[in-house]
Amino acid sequence: MSVFLHIGFHKTGSTALQSWLGDNADGLRETGVWVPQVGCPPGKRYHRLLTTELEEGHGKQWAEFETGWASSGCRDAVLSDERLSAPWYPESSMRMLKDCLAPHKVTIVAYIRNPVDYFFSRYRHSIKMDAINSHWSLRRFIRERVPSSNEYLGQLDSWARVFGRENVLLGIYEQAVTESSVAESFCEI
């Protein structure tokens, strides 16, 4: 039994993928892939409650996950939470997650984006959400809001150290959206 853990870098289609997975959970289940609702906050499609519970030392959500997976009849499960790709997400939490999923083969899936496109997308999103003033320059935004620790390679290295480099698969966001969609690309994986 395998777990595909989508760690969702920001601005790489994570929310769209999570919505697609939730909308197509029944069809995916028929193919042997379980997309649990357990571990998702009310009205959300990401599995934040599972990762948060793990760090806080509870086990109810994880017990429900294992029970639900067993009763689903599915060979594989998909979990997704973009918080897992945050630069401050510690390796100690990654190790707890690995221990929790130890009975299963775990594949980490992440999409990366051209850094220039990524910064422009975050900049536009921040203006739209009123997180910054619209008079900020892109240069100021990058300097003040995008820390140097927010690098794909450093975060991916941490996941590779914990789960093994061979268990970390990368997709290229621009390629996925040009050829089809992030959801279709994810399903191919």
Side-chain angles (χ1 to χ4, degrees), residues 8 40 45 54 87 93 99 109 122 134-135 163 175 188-189:
C40 295
R45 301 284 176 89
L54 189 62
S93 294
D99 291 344
V109 181
R122 282 202 53 197
S134 58
H135 68 275
F163 283 89
Q175 182 179 349
E188 288 174 8
I189 290 172

Side-chain angles (χ1 to χ4, degrees), residues 71-93:
S71 67
S72 76
C74 294
R75 175 172 158 59
D76 300 321
V78 174
L79 298 174
S80 178
D81 186 1
E82 57 268 22
R83 182 179 87 107
L84 300 176
S85 67
W88 44 262
Y89 194 76
E91 272 192 44
S92 59
S93 294

Side-chain angles (χ1 to χ4, degrees), residues 2-9 17-18 21 47-48 50-51 54 62 65 76-82 84-85 89 93-98 101 105-111 156 159 162-163 167-169 186 189:
S2 297
V3 175
F4 292 88
L5 181 61
H6 172 250
I7 63 171
F9 285 104
L17 174 61
Q18 292 159 352
L21 289 167
H47 298 94
R48 180 82 33 93
L50 287 172
T51 57
L54 189 62
W62 283 101
F65 169 76
D76 300 321
V78 174
L79 298 174
S80 178
D81 186 1
E82 57 268 22
L84 300 176
S85 67
Y89 194 76
S93 294
M94 293 175 198
R95 291 186 193 291
M96 285 190 281
L97 188 55
K98 181 181 181 183
L101 295 171
K105 178 185 181 337
V106 178
T107 302
I108 307 299
V109 181
Y111 285 83
L156 291 169
W159 285 99
V162 173
F163 283 89
N167 296 315
V168 177
L169 299 179
F186 185 83
I189 290 172

Side-chain angles (χ1 to χ4, degrees), residues 10-31:
H10 292 285
K11 309 311 292 176
T12 60
S14 298
T15 302
L17 174 61
Q18 292 159 352
S19 293
W20 186 89
L21 289 167
D23 291 346
N24 293 282
D26 292 339
L28 289 165
R29 187 180 212 157
E30 291 174 13
T31 68

Side-chain angles (χ1 to χ4, degrees), residues 127-174:
I127 290 172
K128 180 178 153 187
M129 301 305 291
D130 255 352
I132 64 169
N133 293 322
S134 58
H135 68 275
W136 276 29
S137 67
L138 178 61
R139 180 183 303 247
R140 179 179 178 190
F141 173 75
I142 291 171
R143 186 177 58 245
E144 294 186 27
R145 293 291 177 102
V146 184
S148 61
S149 62
N150 192 10
E151 297 176 13
Y152 291 141
L153 294 179
Q155 294 156 305
L156 291 169
D157 277 345
S158 293
W159 285 99
R161 276 192 298 277
V162 173
F163 283 89
R165 193 162 301 282
E166 69 280 3
N167 296 315
V168 177
L169 299 179
L170 294 180
I172 306 299
Y173 172 77
E174 291 84 1

Side-chain angles (χ1 to χ4, degrees), residues 30-50:
E30 291 174 13
T31 68
V33 178
W34 186 53
V35 181
Q37 182 60 40
V38 65
C40 295
K44 303 294 182 186
R45 301 284 176 89
Y46 48 80
H47 298 94
R48 180 82 33 93
L49 300 178
L50 287 172

